Amino acid sequence: QYKLDIPIPPMFDGWKIYDARKDYERVGIPDNMWRISEANVNYKLCSTYPRYLVVPSTISDEDLHSIAKFRSRCRIPVCVWRDVRTGATIWRCSQPKVGIQYARNKSDEELLERIHRVNGGKKLIIFDARPLKNALANKAVGKGYEESSYYRNTEVKFMNIENIHRVRESFQQARNAVLNCSADSDNKFFAKFEQSGWLKHIRTILKATYEMVARVKVHGASIVSHCSDGWDRTAQLIASVELCLDPHYRSIDGFFCLIEKEWLSFGHQFQKRLGHMIPSGDQDISPVFVQWLDSVWQIMRQHPTAFEFNSRMLAQIAYHATSLRFGTFLHDFDKERTEQKLATKTVSLWTYLKASTPGRKGDFTNPFYAPQKGLVLYPAWDHAHLHVWSDFWLEHSYSSTLVQVMKDRLPPYTVHESQLPGKPHAEKMIHSVGHAIRNQLGAQIRKRQQAEKENKALKAEIQELKALLKEQGILTENSSAEADVASENEGRKVATTSPSEASGQLKSPVEIESRADAISIQPTAGTDVIPQSTQDSNRGEVVFQSGSPQEGKGDQALKQKVLGSPKGAAEETRIETEGTVDQVENGKNDAEDTVECTNLPESNSRASAHGIDEHNENVVGSEIIVEGDAKQSPNHSDDANKRRTPGQLVDF
């Protein structure tokens, strides 16, 4: 007898993760309309059904036994889910034994009529998963589908999902397309995969799921679904519909409960369909469960934030369904697993997915999971939304072209497996990548918003400065237009100024051109210049002062003198610049504006300007003094000095 070396903690015990009564209580069952019957507690009513069944409260257990004789495999209509808000319910069963003689059963008709009345008299839609031709073929052998003349207020819709034999053939062709893919036929892979018909079957499942979800949620109507025996295609549709309607089943624990309820307890034949210990040529083998997992992946890809688990967990479930490592998928029915006492002899797959090292590290968790209460998913089934499930189909394949290139480059007989490219399987973690992307985007957005805010404030200060200079008669219309162009060209340069270059670029705030008729002064970004005219009778000087006398830490005082004589050696002009500059952070200055100043009055005047950098930490100051008693600058020619008058200070 199997015995664990270390006991499994109750929170990780996969055999106890699903409780039928608690799951029904979660959706408001039982109540005065529905009850939980124990007619099958010993599996005497139906050996392929679970022990507890939800049926209308007006239907007795004797009626259930009568209905079981009329339904294929004794699989009677039972409720599996209820919409708490609208009261709409979902039912599953097998096909009725109508036959070509149109047999009928009063208890069965009364049960469906009761579902119709409880739902407010809305028409009851019976979604038959089979194509119509298959249903007619079954009718010829004594089975079939519900006749509208017997079942009033009902309608049968056929969903055209192919049987297990077509699914098996498509799976084999799709597998061959993957295995035979090489460097020569790589461009034909998707065409071959599409020709296999696998995605076509997925498309029909998603389309039927959409119609059933819309019927329950949009119209608020109850639905019934069955196929032939109600354990293959019915399980696919019912599980997909519940997955789209109920956010609980999109969590990790909820998804385990969904598989336990709709696939394991309601009798999907895993041993027969997956070929456990069965020869490969058996005609009952068909990957129906894997097909449903592929459908779940398609829905999950369309709604990437609605699922707590990721594709790697689905691939692990698909792999271990046939690995025989766990007891979850052993045997066909719940009755057989109970009799074999698998809970005491084997470990559940859910225990491994939750308690193993990859599970505890979050390898099976979706980092973008954002649960929303009441969110309903409507799957798309068109060609543009369907893709190859790479974590399953391409798990053991890798680029043969890249491998060949590596082999050609490596020396002979030294090729080692570690030197070849590995297979792109599902073990790669993406949750850290997701968090890093979100943090990076958030930092960029915050930085951009701060820059836009500071740039807006800077532009407002510049506009106020221009208006003030125009009032003083210092700024002209032409100079204003030139200043706008200069501001655009120089703004980007200041934005990339580093602290180490700040001191070397002090001439950028105050630039004096060696022109005969102009002196260009360009203040730094963020400088607010307010001219103030004062008279100095002793020296006859014009002073432009910006900033505060208080110097910040690391400030440097610079003086630049340009001497010139507008009238030869008789009269000289000296321009003295004093200033302090702060350390400027990399990339923090947004713009630099150039204001042109023309036609200063010849009278001696003093103007001051106060400038604050964009971070409001320190004050940038500069002082420009124009005197009449100064020496001639060696940088200016005599001809240029003769053409200049004391009032010609331009391009401020």
Side-chain angles (χ1 to χ4, degrees), residues 313-514:
M313 196 187 81
L314 295 179
Q316 284 290 310
I317 295 174
Y319 171 76
H320 288 296
T322 57
S323 69
L324 301 180
R325 180 180 176 185
F326 304 98
T328 303
F329 300 110
L330 296 182
H331 299 288
D332 289 334
F333 310 119
D334 190 56
K335 176 185 177 182
E336 298 174 353
R337 300 184 188 95
T338 303
E339 293 175 348
Q340 295 297 328
K341 299 180 181 179
L342 293 182
T344 61
K345 298 178 180 179
T346 62
V347 178
S348 173
L349 173 60
W350 320 137
T351 300
Y352 166 75
L353 294 178
K354 294 183 62 177
S356 63
T357 300
R360 286 184 281 107
K361 288 173 58 179
D363 286 4
F364 305 132
T365 304
N366 177 17
F368 305 105
Y369 177 52
Q372 299 183 30
K373 185 178 180 180
L375 176 64
V376 179
L377 308 182
Y378 295 92
W381 67 88
D382 54 299
H383 291 268
H385 289 87
L386 296 185
H387 300 269
V388 178
W389 182 18
S390 57
D391 282 339
F392 175 77
W393 289 104
L394 307 179
E395 180 183 9
H396 301 289
S397 64
Y398 53 92
S399 175
S400 58
T401 305
L402 184 58
V403 172
Q404 187 62 39
V405 170
M406 294 293 293
K407 288 182 177 180
D408 293 341
R409 288 187 176 183
L410 293 174
Y413 310 109
T414 60
V415 179
H416 191 269
E417 292 182 357
S418 61
Q419 297 173 288
L420 296 178
K423 60 182 180 180
H425 53 77
E427 298 297 330
K428 297 180 181 179
M429 298 177 60
I430 65 169
H431 60 87
S432 58
V433 178
H435 291 302
I437 291 174
R438 284 187 290 180
N439 292 338
Q440 183 179 2
L441 292 178
Q444 292 179 356
I445 292 174
R446 289 190 296 270
K447 184 177 179 181
R448 182 180 301 173
Q449 292 175 348
Q450 181 67 17
E452 291 177 354
K453 181 179 179 180
E454 294 170 352
N455 192 24
K456 184 177 180 180
L458 174 63
K459 290 181 179 179
E461 293 176 0
I462 294 175
Q463 293 299 328
E464 293 178 1
L465 171 63
K466 290 180 180 179
L468 188 57
L469 292 178
K470 288 180 180 179
E471 292 179 1
Q472 298 291 335
I474 300 175
L475 185 66
T476 63
E477 296 296 336
N478 295 334
S479 62
S480 178
E482 294 177 1
D484 293 336
V485 176
S487 176
E488 258 183 69
N489 296 334
E490 297 294 336
R492 299 184 182 88
K493 298 180 181 179
V494 179
T496 57
T497 303
S498 63
S500 61
E501 299 172 347
S503 60
Q505 290 187 355
L506 187 59
K507 63 177 66 177
S508 177
V510 182
E511 292 186 0
I512 302 177
E513 299 181 2
S514 59

Side-chain angles (χ1 to χ4, degrees), residues 95-285:
Q95 62 183 341
K97 297 179 180 179
V98 178
I100 58 177
Q101 297 182 355
Y102 296 95
R104 56 189 303 184
N105 183 280
K106 290 295 183 180
S107 298
D108 190 77
E109 296 172 9
E110 182 181 350
L111 190 151
L112 297 187
E113 178 64 23
R114 177 62 179 174
I115 299 173
H116 161 73
R117 289 198 302 267
V118 170
N119 195 220
K122 298 178 181 178
K123 180 180 288 188
L124 180 64
I125 304 297
I126 302 174
F127 289 91
D128 195 325
R130 304 167 293 178
L132 176 59
K133 60 179 181 180
N134 293 13
L136 295 175
N138 279 273
K139 190 174 183 180
V141 295
K143 299 177 183 179
Y145 55 91
E146 292 80 2
E147 292 291 336
S148 300
S149 57
Y150 296 159
Y151 296 88
R152 295 177 297 176
N153 301 311
T154 62
E155 180 183 352
V156 180
K157 288 188 175 182
F158 296 93
M159 296 293 100
N160 300 314
I161 301 177
E162 297 292 345
N163 57 26
I164 60 174
H165 309 294
R166 304 289 83 77
V167 173
R168 180 179 62 251
E169 294 172 359
S170 296
F171 181 84
Q172 293 172 349
Q173 295 178 20
R175 182 184 60 183
N176 293 335
V178 174
L179 297 178
N180 297 330
C181 182
S182 61
D184 299 332
S185 61
D186 184 65
N187 57 343
K188 302 178 181 179
F189 167 72
F190 289 103
K192 291 181 178 179
F193 196 91
E194 178 66 27
Q195 291 173 1
S196 68
W198 181 261
L199 293 180
K200 176 185 176 182
H201 298 315
I202 300 294
R203 193 175 300 115
T204 56
I205 294 175
L206 295 180
K207 181 179 180 181
T209 301
Y210 173 86
E211 294 185 16
M212 296 171 70
V213 170
R215 183 64 183 174
V216 174
K217 204 62 182 180
V218 177
H219 301 281
S222 298
I223 61 174
V224 179
S225 180
H226 67 73
C227 52
S228 296
D229 294 326
W231 52 37
D232 291 321
R233 289 166 285 190
T234 302
Q236 290 178 332
L237 292 183
I238 294 297
S240 299
V241 171
E242 292 183 38
L243 189 72
C244 293
L245 289 173
D246 198 336
H248 168 70
Y249 294 127
R250 299 195 285 269
S251 65
I252 292 179
D253 289 348
F255 190 71
F256 297 161
C257 291
L258 180 64
I259 296 177
E260 285 280 349
K261 181 176 74 170
E262 300 300 340
W263 289 90
L264 293 167
S265 66
F266 274 96
H268 176 69
Q269 302 178 93
F270 279 97
Q271 181 170 336
K272 184 178 293 185
R273 294 291 181 258
L274 297 178
H276 294 167
M277 310 303 292
I278 297 176
S280 59
D282 193 280
Q283 294 299 310
D284 289 331
I285 296 177

Side-chain angles (χ1 to χ4, degrees), residues 590-617:
D590 293 321
E592 182 179 60
D593 187 57
T594 302
V595 182
E596 183 177 3
C597 177
T598 60
N599 299 327
L600 285 176
E602 295 184 7
S603 61
N604 298 329
S605 61
R606 180 183 298 271
S608 63
H610 299 276
I612 302 176
D613 64 356
E614 71 170 13
H615 296 289
N616 297 325
E617 294 176 354

